[in-house]
């Protein structure tokens, strides 16, 4: 007899009928797409958020903390290479707000117009954008200034007009990685997508230090902040979306064609 699944295992039923108390949904109704959800998603999200705040406030109040971290940026600034600079600046553009919005829109429109799944398109967009939302929230709370570009040997993209903690680019990369993995889960591409997403986020984190616009704790906290946002969003989505869909009239424009 198989053993029960661990209590904290991530679950993501693909079929609404598996969890809906009223049984299978009638044919032609809007399909609910569940996101992978940790059993203790609310507690984990709160703990990760608390860790982000604690790390950021500590970095602010510890004497010499920012100076010690700046040494990492300064060391990278003295060892710039042409090829690496091209990569770092490309990532600076691709994971910035303007290009990021275009990227999310392209995938979401594909899911909606080609795959005929508006619910999945909305879920993808929300998950991908959750990293930005989290980073903006913590930026306002912690209000840490960016590294001074005048102290760098070769400042590539001086940014002094916005807060530094955590990194919006890295937070977006982490959340986008989650969103892409959620699309690939249950397929043969799931493991490859997960590994590629993790590597992508790490490379983006390196690029922010290489350019010199963030401290190491900024990029480290971005992984925690984005993960907290995705955890909380998944829990809220799975809790409230079925109720919202139950109140929507069945319409061809939002009907999912996936089984």
């Amino acid at each position: 007899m198989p053993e029960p699944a661990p209590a904290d295992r991530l679950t993501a039923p693909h079929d609404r009928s598996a969890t809906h108390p009223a049984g299978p949904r009638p044919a032609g109704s809007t399909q609910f797409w569940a996101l992978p959800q940790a059993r203790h998603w609310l507690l984990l999200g709160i703990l990760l958020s608390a860790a982000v705040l604690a790390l950021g406030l500590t970095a602010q109040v510890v004497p010499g903390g920012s100076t010690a971290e700046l040494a990492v940026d300064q060391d990278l600034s003295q060892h710039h290479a042409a090829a690496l600079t091209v990569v770092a600046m490309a990532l600076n553009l691709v994971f910035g707000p303007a290009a990021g919005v275009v990227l999310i829109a392209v995938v979401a429109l594909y899911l909606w117009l080609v795959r005929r799944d508006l619910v999945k398109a909305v879920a993808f967009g929300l998950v991908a954008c959750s990293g930005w939302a989290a980073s903006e929230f913590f930026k306002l709370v912690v209000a840490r200034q960016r590294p001074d570009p005048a102290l760098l040997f070769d400042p590539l993209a001086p940014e002094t007009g916005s807060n530094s903690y955590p990194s919006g680019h890295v937070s977006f990369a982490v959340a986008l990685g989650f969103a892409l993995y959620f699309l690939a889960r249950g397929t043969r591409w799931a493991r490859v997508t997960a590994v590629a997403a993790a590597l992508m986020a790490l490379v983006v984190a390196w690029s922010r230090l290489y350019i010199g616009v963030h401290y190491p704790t900024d990029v480290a906290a971005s992984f925690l902040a984005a993960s907290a946002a995705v955890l909380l969003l998944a829990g809220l989505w799975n809790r409230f979306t079925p109720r919202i869909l139950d109140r929507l009239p069945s319409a061809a424009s939002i009907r999912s064609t996936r089984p």
Side-chain angles (χ1 to χ4, degrees):
M1 181 176 180
E3 297 181 358
D8 291 333
R9 183 178 179 180
L10 294 179
T11 58
H14 292 275
D15 188 351
R16 169 82 188 280
S17 63
T19 56
H20 194 273
R25 294 176 63 84
S29 62
T30 303
Q31 175 85 18
F32 168 61
W33 189 57
L35 296 176
Q37 175 188 323
R39 182 173 181 179
H40 302 293
W41 60 272
L42 182 58
L43 176 61
L44 291 174
I46 292 174
L47 290 176
L48 285 175
S49 299
V52 175
L53 288 175
L55 183 61
L57 295 176
T58 299
Q60 285 282 67
V61 302
V62 172
S66 294
T67 301
E69 291 191 72
L70 181 62
V72 176
D73 291 34
Q74 291 174 324
D75 182 65
L76 289 172
S77 183
Q78 294 182 48
H79 297 87
H80 285 169
L84 295 179
T85 298
V86 170
V87 172
M89 297 308 295
L91 294 174
N92 180 60
L93 175 64
V94 171
F95 289 90
V101 168
V102 173
L103 177 60
I104 294 172
V106 168
V107 178
L109 287 174
Y110 167 78
L111 293 171
W112 178 22
L113 301 178
V114 178
R115 302 297 295 273
R116 308 296 297 174
D117 199 333
L118 178 59
V119 175
K120 185 175 290 188
V122 172
F124 171 84
L126 289 176
V127 172
C129 290
S130 66
W132 273 330
S135 68
E136 290 303 313
F137 170 77
F138 290 114
K139 282 178 186 288
L140 291 174
V141 174
V142 178
R144 185 187 198 185
Q145 294 299 307
R146 291 183 182 273
D148 185 353
L151 300 178
L152 299 176
F153 178 77
D154 181 24
L156 296 174
E159 297 183 30
T160 57
S162 60
N163 293 330
S164 178
Y165 181 95
S167 165
H169 283 66
V170 180
S171 296
F172 170 56
V174 173
L176 178 63
F178 273 111
L180 293 173
Y181 171 72
F182 291 167
L183 290 179
R185 76 187 193 276
T187 72
R188 62 177 178 172
W189 301 106
R191 181 171 297 181
V192 173
T193 302
V195 173
L199 292 176
M200 173 182 69
L202 290 172
V203 173
V204 173
W206 159 82
S207 73
R208 305 313 286 162
L209 300 178
Y210 182 89
I211 293 174
V213 291
H214 284 288
Y215 296 103
T217 49
D218 295 344
V219 298
S222 301
F223 287 86
L224 302 179
S227 297
V230 172
L231 277 171
L232 293 173
L233 176 62
L236 293 173
W237 172 271
N238 292 340
R239 184 178 182 86
F240 293 107
T241 303
R243 302 179 187 179
I244 296 173
L245 293 179
D246 282 340
R247 291 173 172 80
L248 292 177
S250 178
S253 61
I254 61 174
R255 185 179 305 155
S256 170
T257 60
R258 294 186 64 81

